[in-house]
Amino acid sequence: MMFDIRGKVVLVTGAASGIGAATARLAHERGAFVVATDIDGPAIQDFAASSLCVGLTHDVTDPDDWDHAIGAAVHHFGRLDALVSNAGIVNYEPIIDLDLARFRALTRVHVEGSFIGMQKAVAQMRQQADGKPATGSIILTASVMANCAAPAISAYAVAKSAMANMARAVGVELGRKGDMIRVNAICPGPTRTPLLEGALPAGAMDDPAHWTDVPLGAAQEPEDIAEGILFMISDESSFMTATQMVVDGGWSLT
Ligand code: NAD
């Protein structure tokens, strides 16, 4: 086994679909205890039943829902070792058309959702440490859009750069306070999920001509991102904090 996550208690948000579903499934298959959550109640119940993990309806913008989700991890498995703050939505509107309410709704899911989740996860990790330095790993699913740009994606770019820098800031803060809670961002490039599929012309996902800007020549699979997340959960990444892992087939350098 490359990255050992056996026995770790992992909470994954946005786990009914795409990158979150791949992360929750692979984490479970590799021996972690998984609480998989999503705002889409029926989808997360179906997913949890098929993946043998605990599934919860959870809107990441709601602090009470976060208490419930972290409480479920403690109730079922006794603790929380890792949070993967992954839930997300996208918006492809030019700045001039982007209504303030939609801008706020998008940044709320990504930025406020991750903020509330981190606050509550850190509190739980400290509480269970029983006076010793707290341990844990928090991963925010940002995007290559944290560091580069494209047309008609300003709200998403704002949200993703905020997530990536929040991971840096909180990682530095927790380390300086003597915790061993690591905080990192993962920055995926174009990944085969419903979120991206909905924005592409029909057939583009599997058309190599659409991906000539990606040095590796294709959209990546959700599992490619999940493997990076599992590494950041594992103790094999024990000195990695306050940074970003880019998984994009080289796309952001072209
Ligand atoms: P997806 O649409 O397949 O999955 C996102 C999930 O988040 C859905 O199941 C959805 O129901 C859930 N969700 C949305 N709002 C929520 C809320 N308020 N509370 C809880 N759950 C909520 O998309 P994906 O591509 O797997 O996206 C996962 C993450 O990866 C997102 O943060 C996205 O921005 C990021 N990302 C995706 C790509 C890509 O190309 N697919 C690239 C970079 C980053």
Side-chain angles (χ1 to χ4, degrees):
M1 183 173 300
M2 264 197 313
F3 317 131
D4 190 359
I5 58 165
R6 283 173 297 180
K8 289 196 184 289
V9 180
V10 179
L11 170 54
V12 185
T13 70
S17 175
I19 293 167
T23 303
R25 183 175 48 75
L26 287 182
H28 170 71
E29 285 171 9
R30 304 218 183 138
F33 299 109
V34 178
V35 178
T37 79
D38 203 286
I39 197 169
D40 184 340
I44 197 63
Q45 294 310 335
D46 287 351
F47 173 82
S50 66
S51 294
L52 300 172
C53 57
V54 174
L56 283 183
T57 307
H58 171 199
D59 178 351
V60 296
T61 66
D62 183 336
D64 292 339
D65 277 9
W66 273 106
D67 286 336
H68 187 220
I70 291 177
V74 175
H75 171 75
H76 288 280
F77 306 122
R79 53 189 289 114
L80 178 71
D81 296 308
L83 166 65
V84 184
S85 178
N86 168 82
I89 54 177
V90 73
N91 174 301
Y92 296 104
E93 284 179 289
I95 184 76
I96 203 76
D97 300 328
L98 181 54
D99 178 77
L100 181 58
R102 288 194 294 280
F103 178 89
R104 283 185 176 148
L106 186 138
T107 51
R108 213 173 150 216
V109 171
H110 295 273
V111 183
E112 290 188 28
S114 295
F115 164 73
I116 303 165
M118 276 200 294
Q119 229 178 23
K120 293 190 182 276
V122 168
Q124 174 56 37
M125 287 166 181
R126 283 183 172 159
Q127 187 185 325
Q128 70 202 18
D130 225 6
K132 301 192 194 88
T135 59
S137 178
I138 297 174
I139 295 111
L140 309 187
T141 310
S143 165
V144 285
M145 284 301 147
N147 303 307
C148 58
I153 200 161
S154 54
Y156 189 76
V158 165
K160 291 309 187 180
S161 53
M163 287 173 75
N165 218 24
M166 189 156 53
R168 287 196 194 100
V170 178
V172 166
E173 177 186 322
L174 296 181
R176 290 243 191 267
K177 286 218 180 289
D179 288 306
M180 292 300 282
I181 302 172
R182 301 179 297 108
V183 188
N184 294 292
I186 191 155
C187 295
T191 310
R192 183 194 299 275
T193 72
L195 180 139
L196 178 63
E197 193 103 49
L200 293 180
M205 190 73 87
D206 291 307
D207 180 1
H210 191 81
W211 303 111
T212 50
D213 285 351
V214 180
L216 292 185
Q220 58 209 340
E221 302 298 327
E223 288 74 13
D224 294 321
I225 313 304
E227 293 289 358
I229 293 173
L230 298 193
F231 172 65
M232 291 195 281
I233 292 172
S234 77
D235 293 343
E236 277 74 17
S237 63
S238 61
F239 219 65
M240 183 177 171
T241 196
T243 191
Q244 303 175 6
M245 178 189 282
V246 176
V247 184
D248 71 344
W251 181 75
S252 51
L253 293 179
T254 61

